[in-house]
Amino acid sequence: MILELLANAVSTGVLLGCIYAALALGLAVSFGLLHIPNIAHPVFVVTGAFAATVFNAMGWDPLLVSLPLALVFYGAGIAFFEFYSRIYEKRGEADTMQALTLFFGVSLVIETVLVMKFGADQRSTDVDYVGQSLVLGPVVMPYRLLIPALVAPVMVTALWLYLKFTYAGIAIRAVAHDERALSVSGINPGWIKRHAFGLAAATAAISGAALVIVGPIDPFAGRMQIGRAFAVVILAGMGSIPGTLAAGILIGVTEALVGAFGSPSWAPAVAFTMLLATLAFKPSGLFGASR
């Protein structure tokens, strides 16, 4: 009985951890690589979730429709970064507190718009595989977790390959470390940072679609994910894209074990505890900062 409970807790934790990694992936780019404290990113994810529900009501699968939505979010991310850059990055120096205030205000505005448009009630998706499960011996994996969880490894792998082997991806990694050297080489750092922020916003559309399949969401759902997303990014190591997946799984498994063998009410504190422990004992994260 205990072994069965343990196996199901670990499997559920792995699936949840993958979803946490998908949710935090855009933050790993904007905060980990660009050093922009985008605390509004979880709200971007919730916006992507609501957009997916709109098209799901027309018969579209949320994950499939999230791909064209990602292009829309990419464009919106570029436009928003242009505004942020003009106001808060004059001469390449942004005031952190002002930036935090901006993103906090943006998150409140987006939440208000979502409430005005959709109301404060929870919204969910209607897909055939919700309610079904994959049974492997004693382990039961609901498809509402399994299918969204499969998105994270694909997103992480695709983004890591893009950053490692493409010209624009290498430039994004370079601008995170030496913006001046990048400009000397003839590359416009501003364009690279706009592109990177656009990519971070694009991930919000896909991870939002994954999130709403897992369970119903409301306009304020992003508030519950802020600490968890930052915990994943910092635990992984600032800007470590592969580490994001590992850190998300570690947090997810720990939460599931605490919920299964302790008290479910303790589970939300796991991410914050691991965040504080990482900052205290290993500020560089499990995998170190991205290079």
Side-chain angles (χ1 to χ4, degrees):
M1 184 65 178
I2 294 180
L3 290 179
E4 182 178 339
L5 180 61
L6 175 63
N8 278 280
V10 170
S11 65
T12 299
V14 170
L15 298 181
L16 285 174
C18 287
I19 295 166
Y20 296 161
L23 186 145
L25 190 58
L27 193 62
V29 175
S30 60
F31 183 52
L33 292 176
L34 302 182
H35 310 300
I36 298 174
N38 183 12
I39 59 174
H41 181 75
V43 182
F44 293 172
V45 173
V46 172
T47 305
F50 271 90
T53 63
V54 171
F55 287 95
N56 178 247
M58 304 177 187
W60 289 80
D61 183 275
L63 292 176
L64 291 179
V65 80
S66 69
L67 299 178
L69 282 174
L71 297 177
V72 177
F73 274 60
Y74 172 80
I78 288 179
F80 180 79
F81 181 83
E82 183 64 22
F83 166 76
Y84 167 81
S85 178
R86 289 179 180 272
I87 302 300
Y88 293 98
E89 288 202 342
K90 293 179 180 180
R91 300 179 182 178
E93 295 181 0
D95 185 284
T96 302
M97 290 305 300
Q98 288 182 334
L100 284 171
T101 302
L102 170 68
F103 287 113
F104 180 72
V106 167
S107 65
L108 291 180
V109 169
I110 294 176
E111 287 177 350
T112 302
V113 171
L114 290 176
V115 170
M116 293 175 62
K117 177 65 178 177
F118 300 102
D121 295 334
Q122 291 184 327
R123 293 177 69 93
S124 58
T125 55
D126 181 18
V127 287
D128 295 337
Y129 45 82
V130 170
Q132 304 179 44
S133 300
L134 175 65
V135 180
L136 298 175
V139 177
V140 179
M141 292 183 286
Y143 283 125
R144 69 177 181 86
L145 290 179
L146 179 59
I147 292 179
L150 294 176
V151 171
V154 175
M155 290 176 63
V156 168
T157 301
L159 183 58
W160 179 76
L161 291 175
Y162 180 80
L163 293 175
K164 191 172 181 66
F165 295 109
T166 68
Y167 177 83
I170 293 171
I172 291 173
R173 291 164 53 205
V175 79
H177 300 292
D178 198 337
E179 184 175 330
R180 182 174 300 177
L182 194 66
S183 61
V184 169
S185 66
I187 301 174
N188 183 353
W191 183 88
I192 293 299
K193 294 171 79 172
R194 283 194 297 272
H195 175 55
F197 198 88
L199 289 177
T203 67
I206 302 173
S207 56
L211 184 66
V212 76
I213 293 175
V214 173
I217 52 99
D218 59 55
F220 309 105
R223 300 182 182 185
M224 300 182 62
Q225 305 296 340
I226 292 175
R228 191 175 280 128
F230 273 90
V232 170
V233 173
I234 294 173
L235 181 61
M238 294 289 283
S240 174
I241 302 303
T244 301
L245 183 60
I249 291 175
L250 180 59
I251 291 175
V253 170
T254 305
E255 282 187 358
L257 290 175
V258 168
F261 294 98
S263 171
S265 61
W266 297 347
V270 168
F272 290 99
T273 302
M274 297 180 75
L275 172 60
L276 293 175
T278 302
L279 291 174
F281 301 106
K282 203 174 190 308
S284 62
L286 296 177
F287 300 92
S290 174
R291 289 291 182 268

